[in-house]
Amino acid sequence: MKRPFIQLSTLALAAAATLLGLPAHAGKTLDGIKARGQLVCGVNTGVAGFSATDSKGKWTGLDVDICRATAAAVLGDSEKVKYVALNAQQRFTALQSGEIDLLSRNTTFTLTRDASLGLHTTAVTYYDGQAFMVPAKSKIRSAKQLKGFTVCVQAGTTTEKNMTDYSRSNDLKLKPVVFDKLEAANGAYLAGRCQAYSTDASGLASIRAKEAKNPADHVILPELISKEPLGPMVRRGDDEWFAIVKWVVYGLLEAEEYGVTQANVDKLKTSTDPAVQRIVGSGEDMGKLLGLDREWLARAIRATGNYGEIFERNVGTGSPLKLPRGANNLWSKGGLMYAPPIR
Ligand SMILES: N[C@@H](CCC(=O)N[C@@H](CS)C(=O)NCC(=O)O)C(=O)O
């Protein structure tokens, strides 16, 4: 009879906390981050637009901005992030072992990963799909023409299995050439040692824009052969931290939907719209329910801008990658990005 009693009293406590609007308990990951004064964020080793260092050694990119927004929300400073560069195979162990607090690294949400790694995907930050890239001079214009081709891929990714499935169902007899490291895969393809390259379409756009001598020499074929919903991951067993990261992503989306930007987030403090007030921190306190403060989301927006601003700056049509918003547009503009309400 002891167990039901404990469960009941826990429930009663939670109900009382909700009724009284008490702050949620912060959780052990957040306690660790606060004690250390730094968020440790796992990113990739260099996929420009997502995470890469600039000439001054500063990390930039869409995935990096998720780390920065989270640090701004929980520590009050988007610079208080230690970045750990991880290749595809290292990423999950780094999160499982506690070496990093957050994995923000073009990582696909799949059933296998969700159910077998002891990790959670929090929210989708980029809807992608796997594609192929070939030298323009090959005259290949469709993935269906790749019969018997050698294809450079990176180990430890969703790429190889998707490609095997696609090859089998289209009778293409593709031959994967597998590399552990990104530079090795890029180098091999650009040196002509594979006839094609396959990874997420966004990764191909990045490699073409940043690694190829002349981007126009490479064509990304139109077929998307898989669904690659990419998003930040956290360890299982810390629901509070899971909620924080999830709501930072949703908050950045909600900010875009309500027109809250890096430039106007402070001015909108005087807004009379309750939804805007919740976002900018001048109305109902949403932060305390996450174990944070009223300004959590305003600080994130001030640091990185809303999701649309993050997208445009890092990978959008004005950036070297020139990726269209497409599926990553807000649901209200024909895309898939839909945040549950900040309410
Ligand atoms: N989304 C896929 C692929 C992610 C991936 O690792 N892609 C490679 C090729 S673009 C990459 O980011 N490599 C960077 C690195 O190893 O640092 C996955 O989650 O498995």
Side-chain angles (χ1 to χ4, degrees), residues 24-39 70-76 101 235 238-245 287-288 290-293 296 299:
H25 173 64
K28 58 184 183 304
T29 308
L30 182 59
D31 287 346
I33 293 166
K34 281 186 175 159
R36 179 184 330 121
Q38 209 176 33
L39 168 73
T70 308
V74 305
L75 288 173
D101 302 307
R235 266 182 305 286
D238 188 338
D239 292 351
E240 287 76 15
W241 180 236
F242 176 45
I244 288 171
V245 176
K288 74 176 171 192
L290 295 169
L292 303 174
D293 64 332
W296 67 288
R299 281 193 304 271

PDB file of all heavy atoms in Angstrom, residues 24-39 70-76 101 235 238-245 287-288 290-293 296 299:
ATOM      1  N   ALA A  24       8.530  25.184 -11.403  1.00  0.00           N
ATOM      2  CA  ALA A  24       8.825  23.759 -11.524  1.00  0.00           C
ATOM      3  C   ALA A  24      10.234  23.512 -11.016  1.00  0.00           C
ATOM      4  O   ALA A  24      11.071  24.415 -11.022  1.00  0.00           O
ATOM      5  CB  ALA A  24       8.721  23.354 -12.982  1.00  0.00           C
ATOM      6  N   HIS A  25      10.490  22.261 -10.576  1.00  0.00           N
ATOM      7  CA  HIS A  25      11.856  21.933 -10.201  1.00  0.00           C
ATOM      8  C   HIS A  25      12.715  21.908 -11.458  1.00  0.00           C
ATOM      9  O   HIS A  25      12.281  21.462 -12.502  1.00  0.00           O
ATOM     10  CB  HIS A  25      11.899  20.571  -9.494  1.00  0.00           C
ATOM     11  CG  HIS A  25      13.299  20.126  -9.243  1.00  0.00           C
ATOM     12  ND1 HIS A  25      14.126  20.843  -8.407  1.00  0.00           N
ATOM     13  CD2 HIS A  25      14.027  19.121  -9.762  1.00  0.00           C
ATOM     14  CE1 HIS A  25      15.313  20.255  -8.410  1.00  0.00           C
ATOM     15  NE2 HIS A  25      15.277  19.220  -9.218  1.00  0.00           N
ATOM     16  N   ALA A  26      13.937  22.417 -11.341  1.00  0.00           N
ATOM     17  CA  ALA A  26      14.755  22.637 -12.529  1.00  0.00           C
ATOM     18  C   ALA A  26      15.301  21.365 -13.179  1.00  0.00           C
ATOM     19  O   ALA A  26      15.455  21.309 -14.377  1.00  0.00           O
ATOM     20  CB  ALA A  26      15.897  23.568 -12.180  1.00  0.00           C
ATOM     21  N   GLY A  27      15.567  20.327 -12.417  1.00  0.00           N
ATOM     22  CA  GLY A  27      16.129  19.114 -13.018  1.00  0.00           C
ATOM     23  C   GLY A  27      17.645  19.102 -12.958  1.00  0.00           C
ATOM     24  O   GLY A  27      18.300  20.145 -12.919  1.00  0.00           O
ATOM     25  N   LYS A  28      18.217  17.868 -12.978  1.00  0.00           N
ATOM     26  CA  LYS A  28      19.653  17.771 -12.689  1.00  0.00           C
ATOM     27  C   LYS A  28      20.552  18.294 -13.812  1.00  0.00           C
ATOM     28  O   LYS A  28      21.631  18.809 -13.541  1.00  0.00           O
ATOM     29  CB  LYS A  28      20.031  16.333 -12.290  1.00  0.00           C
ATOM     30  CG  LYS A  28      19.712  15.256 -13.320  1.00  0.00           C
ATOM     31  CD  LYS A  28      20.052  13.884 -12.733  1.00  0.00           C
ATOM     32  CE  LYS A  28      19.836  12.760 -13.727  1.00  0.00           C
ATOM     33  NZ  LYS A  28      18.455  12.683 -14.296  1.00  0.00           N
ATOM     34  N   THR A  29      20.095  18.199 -15.044  1.00  0.00           N
ATOM     35  CA  THR A  29      20.938  18.721 -16.131  1.00  0.00           C
ATOM     36  C   THR A  29      21.069  20.234 -15.999  1.00  0.00           C
ATOM     37  O   THR A  29      22.172  20.787 -16.087  1.00  0.00           O
ATOM     38  CB  THR A  29      20.357  18.339 -17.509  1.00  0.00           C
ATOM     39  OG1 THR A  29      20.132  16.926 -17.521  1.00  0.00           O
ATOM     40  CG2 THR A  29      21.311  18.700 -18.639  1.00  0.00           C
ATOM     41  N   LEU A  30      19.942  20.899 -15.753  1.00  0.00           N
ATOM     42  CA  LEU A  30      19.994  22.358 -15.605  1.00  0.00           C
ATOM     43  C   LEU A  30      20.803  22.751 -14.371  1.00  0.00           C
ATOM     44  O   LEU A  30      21.586  23.709 -14.426  1.00  0.00           O
ATOM     45  CB  LEU A  30      18.580  22.946 -15.525  1.00  0.00           C
ATOM     46  CG  LEU A  30      18.522  24.473 -15.429  1.00  0.00           C
ATOM     47  CD1 LEU A  30      19.198  25.128 -16.630  1.00  0.00           C
ATOM     48  CD2 LEU A  30      17.088  24.965 -15.308  1.00  0.00           C
ATOM     49  N   ASP A  31      20.653  21.985 -13.292  1.00  0.00           N
ATOM     50  CA  ASP A  31      21.466  22.274 -12.090  1.00  0.00           C
ATOM     51  C   ASP A  31      22.952  22.218 -12.444  1.00  0.00           C
ATOM     52  O   ASP A  31      23.729  23.085 -12.032  1.00  0.00           O
ATOM     53  CB  ASP A  31      21.168  21.246 -10.978  1.00  0.00           C
ATOM     54  CG  ASP A  31      19.800  21.475 -10.337  1.00  0.00           C
ATOM     55  OD1 ASP A  31      19.216  22.559 -10.553  1.00  0.00           O
ATOM     56  OD2 ASP A  31      19.314  20.564  -9.636  1.00  0.00           O
ATOM     57  N   GLY A  32      23.334  21.195 -13.209  1.00  0.00           N
ATOM     58  CA  GLY A  32      24.741  21.040 -13.607  1.00  0.00           C
ATOM     59  C   GLY A  32      25.212  22.203 -14.474  1.00  0.00           C
ATOM     60  O   GLY A  32      26.317  22.725 -14.291  1.00  0.00           O
ATOM     61  N   ILE A  33      24.370  22.608 -15.407  1.00  0.00           N
ATOM     62  CA  ILE A  33      24.718  23.708 -16.318  1.00  0.00           C
ATOM     63  C   ILE A  33      24.910  25.001 -15.515  1.00  0.00           C
ATOM     64  O   ILE A  33      25.868  25.749 -15.728  1.00  0.00           O
ATOM     65  CB  ILE A  33      23.602  23.891 -17.386  1.00  0.00           C
ATOM     66  CG1 ILE A  33      23.570  22.679 -18.316  1.00  0.00           C
ATOM     67  CG2 ILE A  33      23.794  25.179 -18.176  1.00  0.00           C
ATOM     68  CD1 ILE A  33      22.313  22.585 -19.182  1.00  0.00           C
ATOM     69  N   LYS A  34      24.017  25.213 -14.563  1.00  0.00           N
ATOM     70  CA  LYS A  34      24.105  26.442 -13.745  1.00  0.00           C
ATOM     71  C   LYS A  34      25.360  26.418 -12.878  1.00  0.00           C
ATOM     72  O   LYS A  34      26.049  27.429 -12.760  1.00  0.00           O
ATOM     73  CB  LYS A  34      22.859  26.565 -12.869  1.00  0.00           C
ATOM     74  CG  LYS A  34      21.656  27.086 -13.632  1.00  0.00           C
ATOM     75  CD  LYS A  34      20.528  27.312 -12.653  1.00  0.00           C
ATOM     76  CE  LYS A  34      19.329  27.943 -13.291  1.00  0.00           C
ATOM     77  NZ  LYS A  34      18.120  27.687 -12.487  1.00  0.00           N
ATOM     78  N   ALA A  35      25.642  25.259 -12.294  1.00  0.00           N
ATOM     79  CA  ALA A  35      26.809  25.161 -11.413  1.00  0.00           C
ATOM     80  C   ALA A  35      28.094  25.422 -12.202  1.00  0.00           C
ATOM     81  O   ALA A  35      29.020  26.068 -11.725  1.00  0.00           O
ATOM     82  CB  ALA A  35      26.847  23.777 -10.767  1.00  0.00           C
ATOM     83  N   ARG A  36      28.118  24.940 -13.422  1.00  0.00           N
ATOM     84  CA  ARG A  36      29.292  25.068 -14.279  1.00  0.00           C
ATOM     85  C   ARG A  36      29.330  26.438 -14.975  1.00  0.00           C
ATOM     86  O   ARG A  36      30.355  26.887 -15.449  1.00  0.00           O
ATOM     87  CB  ARG A  36      29.147  23.919 -15.276  1.00  0.00           C
ATOM     88  CG  ARG A  36      30.108  23.746 -16.295  1.00  0.00           C
ATOM     89  CD  ARG A  36      29.830  22.640 -17.307  1.00  0.00           C
ATOM     90  NE  ARG A  36      29.115  21.468 -16.992  1.00  0.00           N
ATOM     91  CZ  ARG A  36      27.971  21.103 -17.627  1.00  0.00           C
ATOM     92  NH1 ARG A  36      27.429  21.850 -18.546  1.00  0.00           N
ATOM     93  NH2 ARG A  36      27.388  19.982 -17.323  1.00  0.00           N
ATOM     94  N   GLY A  37      28.172  27.072 -15.071  1.00  0.00           N
ATOM     95  CA  GLY A  37      28.088  28.370 -15.741  1.00  0.00           C
ATOM     96  C   GLY A  37      28.228  28.251 -17.245  1.00  0.00           C
ATOM     97  O   GLY A  37      28.525  29.228 -17.936  1.00  0.00           O
ATOM     98  N   GLN A  38      27.944  27.080 -17.771  1.00  0.00           N
ATOM     99  CA  GLN A  38      28.160  26.842 -19.195  1.00  0.00           C
ATOM    100  C   GLN A  38      27.286  25.683 -19.682  1.00  0.00           C
ATOM    101  O   GLN A  38      27.131  24.691 -18.981  1.00  0.00           O
ATOM    102  CB  GLN A  38      29.624  26.455 -19.372  1.00  0.00           C
ATOM    103  CG  GLN A  38      30.206  26.824 -20.695  1.00  0.00           C
ATOM    104  CD  GLN A  38      31.691  26.496 -20.758  1.00  0.00           C
ATOM    105  OE1 GLN A  38      32.152  25.524 -20.154  1.00  0.00           O
ATOM    106  NE2 GLN A  38      32.430  27.286 -21.498  1.00  0.00           N
ATOM    107  N   LEU A  39      26.747  25.864 -20.877  1.00  0.00           N
ATOM    108  CA  LEU A  39      26.017  24.780 -21.542  1.00  0.00           C
ATOM    109  C   LEU A  39      27.017  24.056 -22.441  1.00  0.00           C
ATOM    110  O   LEU A  39      27.742  24.702 -23.199  1.00  0.00           O
ATOM    111  CB  LEU A  39      24.897  25.380 -22.389  1.00  0.00           C
ATOM    112  CG  LEU A  39      24.199  24.462 -23.391  1.00  0.00           C
ATOM    113  CD1 LEU A  39      23.282  23.469 -22.677  1.00  0.00           C
ATOM    114  CD2 LEU A  39      23.372  25.276 -24.388  1.00  0.00           C
ATOM    115  N   THR A  70      19.382  28.443 -26.251  1.00  0.00           N
ATOM    116  CA  THR A  70      19.159  27.691 -25.010  1.00  0.00           C
ATOM    117  C   THR A  70      19.997  28.277 -23.876  1.00  0.00           C
ATOM    118  O   THR A  70      19.502  28.466 -22.753  1.00  0.00           O
ATOM    119  CB  THR A  70      19.488  26.195 -25.221  1.00  0.00           C
ATOM    120  OG1 THR A  70      18.772  25.730 -26.369  1.00  0.00           O
ATOM    121  CG2 THR A  70      19.110  25.358 -24.015  1.00  0.00           C
ATOM    122  N   ALA A  71      21.248  28.606 -24.177  1.00  0.00           N
ATOM    123  CA  ALA A  71      22.116  29.198 -23.144  1.00  0.00           C
ATOM    124  C   ALA A  71      21.561  30.543 -22.693  1.00  0.00           C
ATOM    125  O   ALA A  71      21.575  30.860 -21.500  1.00  0.00           O
ATOM    126  CB  ALA A  71      23.542  29.348 -23.672  1.00  0.00           C
ATOM    127  N   ALA A  72      21.053  31.322 -23.652  1.00  0.00           N
ATOM    128  CA  ALA A  72      20.469  32.623 -23.288  1.00  0.00           C
ATOM    129  C   ALA A  72      19.259  32.414 -22.375  1.00  0.00           C
ATOM    130  O   ALA A  72      19.079  33.125 -21.385  1.00  0.00           O
ATOM    131  CB  ALA A  72      20.065  33.387 -24.546  1.00  0.00           C
ATOM    132  N   ALA A  73      18.442  31.411 -22.698  1.00  0.00           N
ATOM    133  CA  ALA A  73      17.238  31.156 -21.895  1.00  0.00           C
ATOM    134  C   ALA A  73      17.586  30.696 -20.479  1.00  0.00           C
ATOM    135  O   ALA A  73      16.973  31.143 -19.523  1.00  0.00           O
ATOM    136  CB  ALA A  73      16.359  30.115 -22.593  1.00  0.00           C
ATOM    137  N   VAL A  74      18.574  29.798 -20.361  1.00  0.00           N
ATOM    138  CA  VAL A  74      18.815  29.191 -19.042  1.00  0.00           C
ATOM    139  C   VAL A  74      19.930  29.867 -18.244  1.00  0.00           C
ATOM    140  O   VAL A  74      19.920  29.816 -17.009  1.00  0.00           O
ATOM    141  CB  VAL A  74      19.075  27.662 -19.131  1.00  0.00           C
ATOM    142  CG1 VAL A  74      17.941  26.959 -19.862  1.00  0.00           C
ATOM    143  CG2 VAL A  74      20.409  27.332 -19.792  1.00  0.00           C
ATOM    144  N   LEU A  75      20.886  30.491 -18.939  1.00  0.00           N
ATOM    145  CA  LEU A  75      22.016  31.107 -18.224  1.00  0.00           C
ATOM    146  C   LEU A  75      22.045  32.625 -18.373  1.00  0.00           C
ATOM    147  O   LEU A  75      22.867  33.291 -17.756  1.00  0.00           O
ATOM    148  CB  LEU A  75      23.345  30.535 -18.748  1.00  0.00           C
ATOM    149  CG  LEU A  75      23.684  29.096 -18.373  1.00  0.00           C
ATOM    150  CD1 LEU A  75      24.929  28.635 -19.115  1.00  0.00           C
ATOM    151  CD2 LEU A  75      23.876  28.955 -16.870  1.00  0.00           C
ATOM    152  N   GLY A  76      21.200  33.136 -19.268  1.00  0.00           N
ATOM    153  CA  GLY A  76      21.176  34.585 -19.462  1.00  0.00           C
ATOM    154  C   GLY A  76      22.280  35.085 -20.362  1.00  0.00           C
ATOM    155  O   GLY A  76      22.503  36.283 -20.464  1.00  0.00           O
ATOM    156  N   ASP A 101      25.464  18.312 -22.767  1.00  0.00           N
ATOM    157  CA  ASP A 101      24.108  18.461 -22.208  1.00  0.00           C
ATOM    158  C   ASP A 101      23.062  18.337 -23.302  1.00  0.00           C
ATOM    159  O   ASP A 101      21.907  18.002 -23.051  1.00  0.00           O
ATOM    160  CB  ASP A 101      23.942  19.853 -21.589  1.00  0.00           C
ATOM    161  CG  ASP A 101      24.959  20.136 -20.502  1.00  0.00           C
ATOM    162  OD1 ASP A 101      25.068  19.315 -19.579  1.00  0.00           O
ATOM    163  OD2 ASP A 101      25.648  21.181 -20.587  1.00  0.00           O
ATOM    164  N   ARG A 235      19.330  13.551 -23.143  1.00  0.00           N
ATOM    165  CA  ARG A 235      19.271  12.225 -22.510  1.00  0.00           C
ATOM    166  C   ARG A 235      17.887  11.964 -21.939  1.00  0.00           C
ATOM    167  O   ARG A 235      17.229  12.904 -21.479  1.00  0.00           O
ATOM    168  CB  ARG A 235      20.239  12.187 -21.314  1.00  0.00           C
ATOM    169  CG  ARG A 235      21.601  11.655 -21.595  1.00  0.00           C
ATOM    170  CD  ARG A 235      22.450  11.611 -20.328  1.00  0.00           C
ATOM    171  NE  ARG A 235      22.554  12.884 -19.639  1.00  0.00           N
ATOM    172  CZ  ARG A 235      23.290  13.903 -20.053  1.00  0.00           C
ATOM    173  NH1 ARG A 235      23.993  13.797 -21.169  1.00  0.00           N
ATOM    174  NH2 ARG A 235      23.330  15.028 -19.369  1.00  0.00           N
ATOM    175  N   ASP A 238      15.564  13.023 -17.684  1.00  0.00           N
ATOM    176  CA  ASP A 238      15.499  14.372 -17.126  1.00  0.00           C
ATOM    177  C   ASP A 238      14.412  15.133 -17.884  1.00  0.00           C
ATOM    178  O   ASP A 238      14.674  15.872 -18.835  1.00  0.00           O
ATOM    179  CB  ASP A 238      16.854  15.080 -17.247  1.00  0.00           C
ATOM    180  CG  ASP A 238      16.873  16.418 -16.500  1.00  0.00           C
ATOM    181  OD1 ASP A 238      15.770  16.969 -16.264  1.00  0.00           O
ATOM    182  OD2 ASP A 238      17.958  16.903 -16.164  1.00  0.00           O
ATOM    183  N   ASP A 239      13.185  14.906 -17.441  1.00  0.00           N
ATOM    184  CA  ASP A 239      12.024  15.484 -18.130  1.00  0.00           C
ATOM    185  C   ASP A 239      12.054  17.011 -18.141  1.00  0.00           C
ATOM    186  O   ASP A 239      11.563  17.637 -19.080  1.00  0.00           O
ATOM    187  CB  ASP A 239      10.722  15.037 -17.441  1.00  0.00           C
ATOM    188  CG  ASP A 239      10.477  13.545 -17.628  1.00  0.00           C
ATOM    189  OD1 ASP A 239      11.210  12.917 -18.419  1.00  0.00           O
ATOM    190  OD2 ASP A 239       9.567  13.023 -16.965  1.00  0.00           O
ATOM    191  N   GLU A 240      12.620  17.588 -17.084  1.00  0.00           N
ATOM    192  CA  GLU A 240      12.634  19.061 -16.994  1.00  0.00           C
ATOM    193  C   GLU A 240      13.519  19.651 -18.090  1.00  0.00           C
ATOM    194  O   GLU A 240      13.164  20.617 -18.745  1.00  0.00           O
ATOM    195  CB  GLU A 240      13.128  19.510 -15.607  1.00  0.00           C
ATOM    196  CG  GLU A 240      12.119  19.279 -14.492  1.00  0.00           C
ATOM    197  CD  GLU A 240      12.020  17.821 -14.047  1.00  0.00           C
ATOM    198  OE1 GLU A 240      12.928  17.018 -14.387  1.00  0.00           O
ATOM    199  OE2 GLU A 240      11.027  17.487 -13.372  1.00  0.00           O
ATOM    200  N   TRP A 241      14.685  19.046 -18.290  1.00  0.00           N
ATOM    201  CA  TRP A 241      15.609  19.542 -19.315  1.00  0.00           C
ATOM    202  C   TRP A 241      15.022  19.311 -20.714  1.00  0.00           C
ATOM    203  O   TRP A 241      15.104  20.159 -21.597  1.00  0.00           O
ATOM    204  CB  TRP A 241      16.978  18.864 -19.149  1.00  0.00           C
ATOM    205  CG  TRP A 241      18.008  19.296 -20.136  1.00  0.00           C
ATOM    206  CD1 TRP A 241      18.710  18.490 -20.981  1.00  0.00           C
ATOM    207  CD2 TRP A 241      18.470  20.637 -20.380  1.00  0.00           C
ATOM    208  NE1 TRP A 241      19.572  19.246 -21.747  1.00  0.00           N
ATOM    209  CE2 TRP A 241      19.441  20.567 -21.401  1.00  0.00           C
ATOM    210  CE3 TRP A 241      18.139  21.891 -19.855  1.00  0.00           C
ATOM    211  CZ2 TRP A 241      20.090  21.687 -21.902  1.00  0.00           C
ATOM    212  CZ3 TRP A 241      18.784  23.016 -20.350  1.00  0.00           C
ATOM    213  CH2 TRP A 241      19.745  22.902 -21.361  1.00  0.00           C
ATOM    214  N   PHE A 242      14.426  18.159 -20.889  1.00  0.00           N
ATOM    215  CA  PHE A 242      13.734  17.833 -22.146  1.00  0.00           C
ATOM    216  C   PHE A 242      12.713  18.938 -22.463  1.00  0.00           C
ATOM    217  O   PHE A 242      12.659  19.473 -23.574  1.00  0.00           O
ATOM    218  CB  PHE A 242      13.049  16.466 -21.978  1.00  0.00           C
ATOM    219  CG  PHE A 242      12.211  15.990 -23.119  1.00  0.00           C
ATOM    220  CD1 PHE A 242      12.653  16.084 -24.430  1.00  0.00           C
ATOM    221  CD2 PHE A 242      10.963  15.410 -22.884  1.00  0.00           C
ATOM    222  CE1 PHE A 242      11.874  15.619 -25.487  1.00  0.00           C
ATOM    223  CE2 PHE A 242      10.173  14.950 -23.935  1.00  0.00           C
ATOM    224  CZ  PHE A 242      10.633  15.060 -25.237  1.00  0.00           C
ATOM    225  N   ALA A 243      11.928  19.308 -21.453  1.00  0.00           N
ATOM    226  CA  ALA A 243      10.899  20.338 -21.652  1.00  0.00           C
ATOM    227  C   ALA A 243      11.524  21.688 -21.999  1.00  0.00           C
ATOM    228  O   ALA A 243      11.039  22.398 -22.881  1.00  0.00           O
ATOM    229  CB  ALA A 243      10.026  20.458 -20.398  1.00  0.00           C
ATOM    230  N   ILE A 244      12.601  22.042 -21.335  1.00  0.00           N
ATOM    231  CA  ILE A 244      13.232  23.346 -21.594  1.00  0.00           C
ATOM    232  C   ILE A 244      13.696  23.436 -23.049  1.00  0.00           C
ATOM    233  O   ILE A 244      13.388  24.394 -23.761  1.00  0.00           O
ATOM    234  CB  ILE A 244      14.415  23.587 -20.617  1.00  0.00           C
ATOM    235  CG1 ILE A 244      13.872  23.864 -19.211  1.00  0.00           C
ATOM    236  CG2 ILE A 244      15.304  24.747 -21.090  1.00  0.00           C
ATOM    237  CD1 ILE A 244      14.935  23.911 -18.126  1.00  0.00           C
ATOM    238  N   VAL A 245      14.432  22.427 -23.506  1.00  0.00           N
ATOM    239  CA  VAL A 245      14.970  22.491 -24.872  1.00  0.00           C
ATOM    240  C   VAL A 245      13.825  22.507 -25.893  1.00  0.00           C
ATOM    241  O   VAL A 245      13.830  23.290 -26.849  1.00  0.00           O
ATOM    242  CB  VAL A 245      15.950  21.317 -25.135  1.00  0.00           C
ATOM    243  CG1 VAL A 245      16.432  21.333 -26.576  1.00  0.00           C
ATOM    244  CG2 VAL A 245      17.130  21.379 -24.165  1.00  0.00           C
ATOM    245  N   GLY A 287       7.983  31.193 -17.891  1.00  0.00           N
ATOM    246  CA  GLY A 287       9.296  30.641 -17.551  1.00  0.00           C
ATOM    247  C   GLY A 287       9.287  29.831 -16.264  1.00  0.00           C
ATOM    248  O   GLY A 287       9.912  28.774 -16.182  1.00  0.00           O
ATOM    249  N   LYS A 288       8.536  30.295 -15.266  1.00  0.00           N
ATOM    250  CA  LYS A 288       8.604  29.616 -13.958  1.00  0.00           C
ATOM    251  C   LYS A 288       8.102  28.176 -14.040  1.00  0.00           C
ATOM    252  O   LYS A 288       8.514  27.322 -13.269  1.00  0.00           O
ATOM    253  CB  LYS A 288       7.890  30.417 -12.875  1.00  0.00           C
ATOM    254  CG  LYS A 288       6.403  30.399 -12.945  1.00  0.00           C
ATOM    255  CD  LYS A 288       5.818  31.151 -11.768  1.00  0.00           C
ATOM    256  CE  LYS A 288       4.328  31.309 -11.960  1.00  0.00           C
ATOM    257  NZ  LYS A 288       3.735  32.250 -11.032  1.00  0.00           N
ATOM    258  N   LEU A 290       8.845  26.206 -16.249  1.00  0.00           N
ATOM    259  CA  LEU A 290       9.975  25.417 -16.769  1.00  0.00           C
ATOM    260  C   LEU A 290      11.161  25.457 -15.812  1.00  0.00           C
ATOM    261  O   LEU A 290      12.231  24.959 -16.131  1.00  0.00           O
ATOM    262  CB  LEU A 290      10.414  25.969 -18.136  1.00  0.00           C
ATOM    263  CG  LEU A 290       9.418  25.869 -19.285  1.00  0.00           C
ATOM    264  CD1 LEU A 290       9.896  26.701 -20.478  1.00  0.00           C
ATOM    265  CD2 LEU A 290       9.218  24.413 -19.709  1.00  0.00           C
ATOM    266  N   GLY A 291      10.981  26.090 -14.663  1.00  0.00           N
ATOM    267  CA  GLY A 291      12.100  26.251 -13.726  1.00  0.00           C
ATOM    268  C   GLY A 291      12.999  27.403 -14.137  1.00  0.00           C
ATOM    269  O   GLY A 291      14.150  27.490 -13.709  1.00  0.00           O
ATOM    270  N   LEU A 292      12.478  28.295 -14.993  1.00  0.00           N
ATOM    271  CA  LEU A 292      13.259  29.450 -15.458  1.00  0.00           C
ATOM    272  C   LEU A 292      12.571  30.734 -14.973  1.00  0.00           C
ATOM    273  O   LEU A 292      11.729  30.676 -14.090  1.00  0.00           O
ATOM    274  CB  LEU A 292      13.368  29.411 -16.991  1.00  0.00           C
ATOM    275  CG  LEU A 292      13.979  28.120 -17.581  1.00  0.00           C
ATOM    276  CD1 LEU A 292      13.898  28.129 -19.099  1.00  0.00           C
ATOM    277  CD2 LEU A 292      15.421  27.950 -17.135  1.00  0.00           C
ATOM    278  N   ASP A 293      12.898  31.852 -15.590  1.00  0.00           N
ATOM    279  CA  ASP A 293      12.273  33.103 -15.184  1.00  0.00           C
ATOM    280  C   ASP A 293      11.423  33.658 -16.331  1.00  0.00           C
ATOM    281  O   ASP A 293      11.408  33.104 -17.424  1.00  0.00           O
ATOM    282  CB  ASP A 293      13.340  34.118 -14.756  1.00  0.00           C
ATOM    283  CG  ASP A 293      14.235  34.480 -15.925  1.00  0.00           C
ATOM    284  OD1 ASP A 293      14.409  33.633 -16.836  1.00  0.00           O
ATOM    285  OD2 ASP A 293      14.747  35.604 -15.973  1.00  0.00           O
ATOM    286  N   TRP A 296      12.962  34.285 -20.049  1.00  0.00           N
ATOM    287  CA  TRP A 296      13.722  33.216 -20.720  1.00  0.00           C
ATOM    288  C   TRP A 296      13.669  33.308 -22.240  1.00  0.00           C
ATOM    289  O   TRP A 296      14.703  33.263 -22.912  1.00  0.00           O
ATOM    290  CB  TRP A 296      13.224  31.832 -20.253  1.00  0.00           C
ATOM    291  CG  TRP A 296      11.807  31.536 -20.695  1.00  0.00           C
ATOM    292  CD1 TRP A 296      10.673  32.114 -20.204  1.00  0.00           C
ATOM    293  CD2 TRP A 296      11.371  30.645 -21.734  1.00  0.00           C
ATOM    294  NE1 TRP A 296       9.562  31.629 -20.854  1.00  0.00           N
ATOM    295  CE2 TRP A 296       9.953  30.731 -21.797  1.00  0.00           C
ATOM    296  CE3 TRP A 296      12.030  29.781 -22.594  1.00  0.00           C
ATOM    297  CZ2 TRP A 296       9.194  29.992 -22.695  1.00  0.00           C
ATOM    298  CZ3 TRP A 296      11.281  29.036 -23.490  1.00  0.00           C
ATOM    299  CH2 TRP A 296       9.879  29.149 -23.550  1.00  0.00           C
ATOM    300  N   ARG A 299      15.118  36.599 -23.904  1.00  0.00           N
ATOM    301  CA  ARG A 299      16.588  36.560 -24.001  1.00  0.00           C
ATOM    302  C   ARG A 299      17.040  35.715 -25.188  1.00  0.00           C
ATOM    303  O   ARG A 299      17.987  36.056 -25.898  1.00  0.00           O
ATOM    304  CB  ARG A 299      17.196  35.972 -22.715  1.00  0.00           C
ATOM    305  CG  ARG A 299      17.279  36.942 -21.571  1.00  0.00           C
ATOM    306  CD  ARG A 299      18.168  36.387 -20.469  1.00  0.00           C
ATOM    307  NE  ARG A 299      17.740  35.083 -20.005  1.00  0.00           N
ATOM    308  CZ  ARG A 299      16.862  34.878 -19.010  1.00  0.00           C
ATOM    309  NH1 ARG A 299      16.344  35.903 -18.371  1.00  0.00           N
ATOM    310  NH2 ARG A 299      16.532  33.652 -18.653  1.00  0.00           N
TER     311      ARG A 299
END
